[in-house]
């Protein structure tokens, strides 16, 4: 049994086709079929049920498939470990970030990083804070940048800056030169983020402190990203609580206005999250060092501790 045979076997199984599977591994179909026959002879089992229109794994084929996936993943991990050992000149950078840092922080940092390490190949996963934390926990990313703290004995959190969340709306939506009351807030059509976002969690916590809940709001729409929320607010569909980083330019250029609410001040910390049991690659450590030394160029930092 060879790694090449397992690679061909997985390709045929994933595509449920000898022709598509052989194409995926850059082989002629006859060669791929021959390799599968040799593998079946070596194992003494039939791996596929073949018909004129379909290729399907047998019961034992499914068992072999699970083990083959594990083997090939270990091979990939070995190659990755070697690249990490060799340093940061030719290596991947596997990171994840929630919407605000992914859109307004990471791109500028990557531009600086590229100047020093042009051979690095960044791979950035973007999603809600919960998704990012799961990615770090499952080793899909070496580190994450999130606006939510979820206690986990496997994870380390380091607070790296504080974000201000403001209520914004298109000019004219709310005719009030003074801060509005919570009662007025409850009557405004609101655009909110989906559950699992750091922004949403921070807003709900702050509302609780002034005697309100999410149910107290007149929710017009629930959207999946800060950018979608921002565009909806600019279009005049309602007001929204959004990171100041995301709307600073819009407010300066008059597309949006900040609406103060009596007694409501929303801040949230952003965290660098890593696994306790995993050493960072040289590429990841270099990027984190750059971020910690450069972040003041983008936003005001905060030296607060994890709550």
């Amino acid at each position: 049994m060879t790694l090449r045979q397992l690679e061909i076997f997985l390709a045929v199984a994933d595509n449920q086709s000898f022709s598509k599977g052989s194409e995926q591994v850059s082989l002629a179909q006859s060669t791929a079929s021959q390799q599968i026959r040799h593998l079946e002879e070596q194992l003494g089992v039939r791996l596929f049920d073949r018909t004129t229109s379909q290729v399907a794994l047998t019961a034992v084929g499914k068992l072999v498939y699970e083990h083959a996936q594990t083997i090939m993943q270990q091979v990939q991990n070995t190659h990755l470990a070697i690249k990490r050992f060799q340093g940061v000149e030719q290596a991947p950078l596997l990171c994840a970030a929630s919407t605000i840092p992914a859109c307004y922080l990471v791109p500028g940092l990557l531009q600086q990083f590229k100047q020093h390490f042009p051979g690095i190949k960044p791979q950035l996963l973007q999603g809600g804070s919960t998704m990012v934390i799961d990615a770090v926990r499952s080793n899909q990313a070496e580190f994450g940048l999130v606006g939510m703290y979820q206690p986990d004995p496997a994870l380390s959190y380091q607070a790296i800056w504080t974000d201000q969340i403001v209520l914004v709306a298109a000019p004219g939506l709310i005719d009030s030169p003074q801060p509005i009351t919570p009662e007025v807030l409850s009557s405004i059509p609101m655009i909110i983020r989906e559950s699992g976002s750091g922004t949403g969690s921070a807003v709900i916590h702050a509302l609780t402190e002034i005697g309100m809940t999410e149910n107290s709001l007149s929710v017009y729409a629930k959207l999946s990203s800060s950018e979608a929320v921002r565009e909806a607010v600019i279009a005049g569909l309602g007001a929204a609580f959004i990171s100041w980083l995301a709307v600073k330019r819009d407010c300066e250029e008059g597309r949006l206005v900040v609406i103060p609410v009596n007694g409501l001040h929303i801040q949230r910390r952003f965290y660098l999250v890593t696994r306790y049991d995993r050493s960072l690659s040289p590429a990841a450590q270099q990027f984190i060092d750059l971020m910690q030394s450069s972040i003041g160029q983008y936003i005001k930092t905060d030296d607060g501790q994890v709550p």
Side-chain angles (χ1 to χ4, degrees), residues 62-63 72 100 124 127 195 232 236 261 267 279 282 288 292 300:
K62 293 178 181 179
L63 177 64
M72 297 307 292
I100 296 302
L124 174 64
S195 59
V261 180
Q267 290 186 328
S279 298
I288 290 171
Q292 292 175 328
K300 184 179 179 180

Side-chain angles (χ1 to χ4, degrees), residues 31-48:
T31 303
S33 298
Q34 185 181 44
Q35 290 294 321
I36 294 297
R37 283 197 299 271
H38 287 166
L39 181 59
E40 289 178 325
E41 290 170 0
Q42 292 165 6
L43 296 175
V45 296
R46 191 176 75 254
L47 298 173
F48 293 102

